[in-house]
Amino acid sequence: MKRRTLAVAAFLVVACLAATGGRATEKRELRVGFVTYAGVEPSKRTFEGQMLDGFLRADRKLDIQGRVAYIAPNQDAATALQSFARQKYDLVIAAFPGPLGAIDNSAKKFPSVRFFMPDIPIEALPHRPKNVRGSVHRAEEAGYLAGYLAALMEGRRPGKHAISAVGGIRFIGVTRWIVGYQAGAKKADPSITVLTGYSRDFANPAKCRRVALSQIAKGSGVVLNVAGTCGLGALQAAKDEGVWGVGVDIDQSYLGPHILTSAVLRLDNVVFNTTRSLVRGRFTTGGNSVFDLRNGGVGLGKISPKVPRPFLRRLEAIRKAIAAGRIRVPRAS
C-alpha cells in the first residue's frame, strides 16, 4: 500500500486537491481526475460526500495519481472535465448529477479519454459516447431487505400487520425502492399490507408528513421514506407517532433511534471499485456497470440495536440468497 499526501493547487476556475508523492516504480501510475461541486467534503450523509470518500480511499490504497477538481457554483463543469482530458488523464470521474450536457460534450470532444458517471446510466446522455461508462444500481435489492426486516418487526405488534412507503414523484428512481420493499415484506409475511402514497414533491417535508400520518392512521407500523428532503417529514411523523422509520439513499440513522434501518446506495464503493478495475486493466467503456448486493453497490445502513438477533440471522440469509441469485427481486418498469 502506498502512502501519499494531498495538496491544494490552483486549477483554472476551480479549486483542486492534487495528489503528490508515492513510491518509485518503473510502471507509470495511472492518473485519475475526479470532478465534484465546491464545498463537498468526505461524508456518508450525501451522495457527493460518499463519492469523494470513495475516491480518496482509492487514492490512498491504489497505485494512482488522484486529483480532485471542485466546480464553483457559477462555473461550467465542462471546464474541469476538459482540463483533465487535455492532460490525457487515464480516467475522468464525473461525480455530480448534472448538467449531463457537460459530460456528453466533453466525451465527444475528447474521444480518446475515458469518462465514468457514478449512478448515471449511459442512456441518459443524448449521444451515448463510446468512451463513457455509466452505472446502474439494483436499488430494489436494498429495498427488498428493508421491506423484509420491516415486516419481521411489524409482526411483533398485535393485530393486523401493515407497513408503508412515502414516495415523492412516481418515476423509476422512486419506484425501484418501493417495488423491492413490497416484495421483501411479502416474503417475510405474505398477509401483510403494504400501503404506498406519493406526495408529488421532493422538497416540502409537510407534504410527506401528511401522507405518512394517513398511513399510520391506517395501521402502518413502519414508514419508508423515498422522497428526499420531503421524506424527512415522513420520518418525523414516524417518530412522533411511535412507529419505525426507514431511510433511503443514504444511512439516515443519524436522525434518531426511531430509524429501523436505511436502504442505501454505496457510491463510495462504486467509485473505489471502478478505480480499482482501471488499475487492474478491466475498465471498459460504452456501457453500464451494475452495482448490487453482490458487489457492495447497494445494501442496508445501520440496523437498530432493538432488532432481535434471530431476525438479523434471517435477514443475512435473505441477503446471501439474493446475492447468489437464488431470490430474484422484481424490478420497477
Side-chain angles (χ1 to χ4, degrees):
M1 180 190 302
K2 70 174 190 268
R3 296 183 181 274
R4 60 173 73 249
T5 59
L6 296 177
V8 177
F11 181 64
L12 297 178
V13 295
V14 297
C16 285
L17 197 61
T20 61
R23 64 175 178 235
T25 177
E26 294 180 0
K27 184 178 179 180
R28 180 181 70 85
E29 287 185 323
L30 298 172
R31 295 189 300 165
V32 182
F34 183 93
V35 181
T36 188
Y37 293 127
V40 171
E41 297 181 355
S43 170
K44 301 296 185 183
R45 295 190 180 186
T46 67
F47 277 164
E48 291 78 16
Q50 275 192 41
M51 290 187 281
L52 180 56
D53 183 70
F55 183 70
L56 296 180
R57 174 157 52 102
D59 185 74
R60 291 192 305 270
K61 295 187 176 182
L62 303 176
D63 286 326
I64 66 168
Q65 292 182 16
R67 194 173 200 180
V68 181
Y70 294 98
I71 313 165
N74 60 341
Q75 301 298 335
D76 183 359
T79 302
L81 294 170
Q82 294 181 23
S83 180
F84 283 135
R86 288 190 187 92
Q87 297 175 67
K88 298 182 179 180
Y89 267 59
D90 297 285
L91 178 64
V92 181
I93 301 175
F96 53 89
L100 298 182
I103 305 172
D104 194 53
N105 294 333
S106 297
K108 286 174 55 187
K109 188 173 182 179
F110 296 91
S112 63
V113 176
R114 293 173 289 183
F115 295 81
F116 174 64
M117 304 184 300
D119 198 33
I120 302 173
I122 194 171
E123 291 80 8
L125 299 185
H127 299 95
R128 302 184 187 181
K130 294 182 178 180
N131 55 325
V132 176
R133 187 158 195 85
S135 61
V136 295
H137 292 78
R138 299 299 181 215
E140 63 275 3
E141 294 185 356
Y144 191 101
L145 292 182
Y148 186 85
L149 180 58
L152 290 181
M153 294 299 286
E154 173 64 2
R156 304 178 77 199
R157 298 204 309 166
K160 294 182 179 180
H161 300 143
I163 62 173
S164 62
V166 178
I169 297 172
R170 190 191 297 266
F171 80 108
I172 195 167
V174 169
T175 58
R176 59 181 180 170
W177 299 100
I178 295 175
V179 165
Y181 183 74
Q182 293 169 329
K186 292 291 185 179
K187 175 69 173 179
D189 179 2
S191 66
I192 198 169
T193 297
V194 183
L195 305 170
T196 303
Y198 292 88
S199 64
R200 299 182 181 180
D201 190 279
F202 285 109
N204 187 344
K207 292 183 179 180
C208 285
R209 176 180 173 82
R210 286 195 293 270
V211 176
L213 288 174
S214 174
Q215 294 171 340
I216 294 169
K218 294 175 183 177
S220 174
V222 185
V223 179
L224 169 69
N225 155 38
V226 199
T229 300
C230 175
L232 295 177
L235 296 179
Q236 183 62 46
K239 180 179 180 180
D240 293 343
E241 298 300 314
V243 302
W244 290 108
V246 175
V248 80
D249 288 336
I250 61 173
D251 189 339
Q252 295 187 298
S253 59
Y254 65 89
L255 293 173
H258 65 293
I259 301 299
L260 176 61
T261 189
S262 302
V264 302
L265 302 183
R266 289 297 307 274
L267 295 183
D268 53 337
N269 288 344
V270 167
V271 170
F272 180 86
N273 292 343
T274 297
T275 307
R276 184 172 58 185
S277 73
L278 176 75
V279 173
R280 293 177 174 177
R282 300 174 183 171
F283 181 80
T284 60
T285 58
N288 292 315
S289 296
V290 177
F291 294 97
D292 51 19
L293 285 178
R294 182 181 56 82
N295 60 23
V298 302
L300 292 183
K302 181 180 178 181
I303 297 174
S304 170
K306 294 183 179 180
V307 174
R309 288 186 179 275
F311 285 4
L312 295 177
R313 289 194 290 268
R314 291 173 64 179
L315 183 67
E316 177 60 12
I318 292 295
R319 187 197 67 78
K320 289 181 178 179
I322 295 172
R326 296 193 299 274
I327 293 178
R328 295 191 175 276
V329 178
R331 298 175 186 172
S333 57

